[in-house]
Amino acid sequence: MSDFTSGTPIEVKQGRNTNAAKREYGAYFVVIFFACLPLAAFTWALFALRNFRLPEKDPVQAAWSQAGIITPMIFQP
């Protein structure tokens, strides 16, 4: 008699819910964005005072860019 149960596929549960992972990523992004915002405003003002012209990116764009760089580094395996 043969054992047919040895080759049956086993359902593997995903470790995390994708919605939960997106919410966690968004929460980290917001925290890092607000942490980068004062420093981005300071460097923007310092650049404007030293060079007598405005930088290409405003402080919000600079902070958004930094948060976009830093947040994925946290979620890398």
Side-chain angles (χ1 to χ4, degrees):
M1 194 161 163
S2 299
D3 184 15
F4 291 106
T5 61
S6 63
T8 59
I10 299 172
E11 291 185 31
V12 178
K13 290 186 177 182
Q14 289 182 346
R16 307 181 92 177
N17 188 359
T18 56
N19 288 335
K22 287 180 183 180
R23 283 193 309 262
E24 184 180 4
Y25 183 89
Y28 275 97
F29 187 89
V30 167
V31 169
I32 293 169
F33 172 73
F34 282 117
C36 291
L37 196 56
L39 184 60
F42 177 72
T43 56
W44 181 85
L46 193 62
F47 181 88
L49 291 173
R50 284 187 172 183
N51 298 322
F52 297 109
R53 64 184 178 91
L54 295 177
E56 293 179 14
K57 288 185 177 180
D58 63 12
V60 175
Q61 289 175 337
W64 190 275
S65 175
Q66 288 297 317
I69 292 169
I70 295 169
T71 307
M73 290 181 184
I74 295 172
F75 286 90
Q76 286 181 350

